[in-house]
Amino acid sequence: MIYVVAQFVLLLFLAWPMANLSFSALGAALILLAGIVALSALLANRPGNFNVRPTPKAGGELITFGIYYYIRHPMYCSLFFAGLGILFCQFSLWKLLAWFLLVLTLTLKARFEEQALLVKFPHYQEYQSTSKAFIPFLW
């Protein structure tokens, strides 16, 4: 639960206040990329199968197709890119620190979640060996 609270607090800190956004082509491109990644995740893994909390839903199924073929946590990836995009549009050292803390929080949340997925889905370890956690071909 602490991961979820920290995630939302950090996202709120990054985005607030939206009125001070400046246009940045790179920031806009990163926010657009975040939207595409999130939409791809929602197309493959319909609402009702995933959970905001880092525990698998009862009766949930493991999705390994679509964007999930390449990365195991596309929604977290989309938050990385969205936060970075906002940072480019509204830079401050405090927001940079918040973005790094967001990446750390989501990385820890993913590790916690993966431990539960290993227990629930016996073939999850094989899936881990054929996909990256957040960024295709890199991480």
Side-chain angles (χ1 to χ4, degrees), residues 61-121:
E61 60 183 88
L62 180 64
I63 305 298
T64 59
F65 58 87
I67 195 167
Y68 287 89
Y69 180 81
Y70 302 100
I71 54 176
R72 298 185 302 273
H73 304 284
M75 293 305 280
Y76 299 168
C77 172
S78 73
L79 293 176
F80 293 167
F81 287 132
L84 191 58
I86 291 170
L87 188 61
F88 274 98
C89 294
Q90 194 178 55
F91 184 81
S92 78
L93 290 177
W94 291 110
K95 288 186 185 283
L96 178 62
L97 176 62
W99 183 77
F100 278 118
L101 290 173
L102 176 66
V103 170
L104 177 63
T105 297
L106 292 174
T107 302
L108 293 172
K109 183 180 175 187
R111 286 187 180 172
F112 182 86
E113 182 178 349
E114 290 198 335
Q115 293 303 312
L117 291 168
L118 282 165
V119 171
K120 182 168 175 121
F121 301 106

Side-chain angles (χ1 to χ4, degrees), residues 15-78:
W16 190 263
M18 292 298 277
N20 292 344
L21 287 178
S22 300
F23 180 76
S24 161
L26 181 55
L30 287 166
I31 292 168
L32 179 63
L33 176 61
I36 291 168
V37 170
L39 183 60
S40 298
L42 289 173
L43 289 172
N45 191 6
R46 301 283 183 201
N49 190 54
F50 60 86
N51 198 350
V52 174
R53 288 172 284 149
T55 53
K57 275 196 151 183
E61 60 183 88
L62 180 64
I63 305 298
T64 59
F65 58 87
I67 195 167
Y68 287 89
Y69 180 81
Y70 302 100
I71 54 176
R72 298 185 302 273
H73 304 284
M75 293 305 280
Y76 299 168
C77 172
S78 73

